[in-house]
Amino acid sequence: MGRIPSYLRYLKDIYQYTENISATALAKELGLGEVQVRKDLGAVSGAGKPKIGYNVGQLIVSLETFLASGNNSRVVIAGAGKLGRALLDYGGFGDYGLEIAAAFDTAVKNEEKSKNGKPVLPMEKFRSFCEENNIKIGIITVPAKSAQEVCDIFVESGIKGIWCFAPCVLSVPPEVTVQYENMALSLAYLKKRV
Amino acid sequence: MGRIPSYLRYLKDIYQYTENISATALAKELGLGEVQVRKDLGAVSGAGKPKIGYNVGQLIVSLETFLASGNNSRVVIAGAGKLGRALLDYGGFGDYGLEIAAAFDTAVKNEEKSKNGKPVLPMEKFRSFCEENNIKIGIITVPAKSAQEVCDIFVESGIKGIWCFAPCVLSVPPEVTVQYENMALSLAYLKKRV
């Protein structure tokens, strides 16, 4: 699983110039073991063609389809600022079996509706909403100084996967997965590559 | 450069449970060559302590500081929807020597100001703005169907690095770097890990 984002990033980089790639070449480019790469690609896309390998475009589609597969999940957001509301109303999650169910914010006192009609609720409703709707995934878009407090509420409410946009490192129990998204670092990384 | 995001992602994952890590262990975990990892970490953080390695927290700070270093850059955005405006007004870029200078949108006919006072301009002003302000980095937050058209305008306007939030693959000349950010794929990836 951990290698899929690297595969996708590299394949999209070369897509424009490269029609086919072998598992051997991909392993070498990413500094991974060839046996591992062959196994990963075999699992998501079947065997490559002898002497040709995989069509880059088809492999991108296979990897994305693999990520999109599985049961549908409903997801909540804590922090209804601009970023939280952008994610709440973003239409692209449905293709991946994901639905943003609601956003929560301490500054919201009575239920509001977002531009696309999604509920924006007071933070006090977070736990009961997650329990009633069996929510296991949550997004943190509050400032860094409030992120740990929100994270603790997430954990108490049964959230098992956290996508964190606050620039910080969260403390969670071992069974909870945190995935960090630092927008400023991503842009800084692009700057370094230009 | 390409390995820095992987180092950071992994180090943040283990930060809570692990005080120190050796270059050898890090290389093994990420499937990278030990010599390479030793060289990378040496360049950003000096040598590790014998038999102990690197303090995980300090290494995170060193890697982020490295990404933040270098000249300041001004950046523009095409697409002033919710995501574009969230990025335009996001306060966290300054720490990394980045300033979002303006957003552009075909739906904007006269100059507007964002909530935080940043200019939101008609798309027709894009090229002259970039030329006058020597802009080399641009962000695409338009829908996928308009992304290539916007990308072509970026390239004609002298942009050398593109951060693309549209779910698509762009065609660019070899000297232009594209970094893709697919929010739905990132969340789908978290879902698979929970």
Side-chain angles (χ1 to χ4, degrees), chain B residues 105-155:
Chain B
D105 200 299
T106 49
V108 170
K109 294 301 163 205
N110 297 298
E111 176 167 350
E112 300 172 6
K113 293 280 181 198
S114 72
K115 224 171 181 176
N116 291 356
K118 295 280 180 85
V120 182
L121 303 165
M123 199 62 207
E124 294 78 53
K125 306 262 182 182
F126 188 86
R127 187 169 179 165
S128 60
F129 186 94
C130 290
E131 286 170 358
E132 282 158 26
N133 293 280
N134 192 30
I135 306 277
K136 297 294 170 211
I137 298 175
I139 305 176
I140 294 183
T141 55
V142 300
K145 65 176 180 352
S146 320
Q148 184 61 54
E149 191 186 329
V150 164
C151 173
D152 294 343
I153 298 171
F154 274 33
V155 172

Side-chain angles (χ1 to χ4, degrees), chain B residues 46-188:
Chain B
K49 282 191 191 144
K51 312 224 171 180
I52 293 174
Y54 291 89
N55 176 281
V56 174
Q58 284 170 9
L59 196 49
I60 291 173
V61 171
S62 298
L63 288 162
E64 294 194 347
T65 306
F66 172 75
L67 282 182
S69 66
N71 291 334
N72 287 8
S73 291
R74 303 186 78 202
V75 177
V76 291
I77 298 172
K82 264 190 288 275
L83 178 60
R85 284 173 192 260
L87 292 169
L88 179 64
D89 279 342
Y90 178 60
F93 292 121
D95 298 339
Y96 296 89
L98 295 159
E99 187 205 336
I100 310 289
F104 296 83
D105 200 299
T106 49
V108 170
K109 294 301 163 205
N110 297 298
E111 176 167 350
E112 300 172 6
K113 293 280 181 198
S114 72
K115 224 171 181 176
N116 291 356
K118 295 280 180 85
V120 182
L121 303 165
M123 199 62 207
E124 294 78 53
K125 306 262 182 182
F126 188 86
R127 187 169 179 165
S128 60
F129 186 94
C130 290
E131 286 170 358
E132 282 158 26
N133 293 280
N134 192 30
I135 306 277
K136 297 294 170 211
I137 298 175
I139 305 176
I140 294 183
T141 55
V142 300
K145 65 176 180 352
S146 320
Q148 184 61 54
E149 191 186 329
V150 164
C151 173
D152 294 343
I153 298 171
F154 274 33
V155 172
E156 284 163 26
S157 307
I159 299 278
K160 299 294 178 212
I162 300 175
W163 195 19
C164 178
F165 284 79
C168 63
V169 178
L170 297 173
S171 178
V172 292
E175 73 274 14
V176 175
T177 303
V178 181
Q179 183 171 299
Y180 296 96
E181 191 86 43
N182 184 326
M183 293 292 196
L185 270 182
S186 297
L187 186 54

Side-chain angles (χ1 to χ4, degrees), chain A residues 1-2 15-17 31 64 66 69 71 89 96 169 172 174 179 181 183 185-186 189 191-193, chain B residues 1-2 15-17 31 64 66 69 71 73 82 96 169 172 179 181 183 185-186 189 191-193:
Chain A
M1 272 308 296
Y15 173 73
Q16 194 187 154
Y17 308 107
E64 294 194 347
F66 172 76
S69 66
N71 292 333
D89 280 342
Y96 295 89
V169 178
V172 292
Q179 183 172 299
E181 192 86 43
M183 293 293 197
L185 271 182
S186 296
Y189 175 57
K191 188 186 97 173
K192 283 279 180 190
R193 294 166 69 201
Chain B
M1 273 307 298
Y15 173 73
Q16 194 186 153
Y17 308 107
E64 294 194 347
F66 172 75
S69 66
N71 291 334
S73 291
K82 264 190 288 275
Y96 296 89
V169 178
V172 292
Q179 183 171 299
E181 191 86 43
M183 293 292 196
L185 270 182
S186 297
Y189 175 59
K191 188 186 97 173
K192 285 280 179 189
R193 294 167 69 200

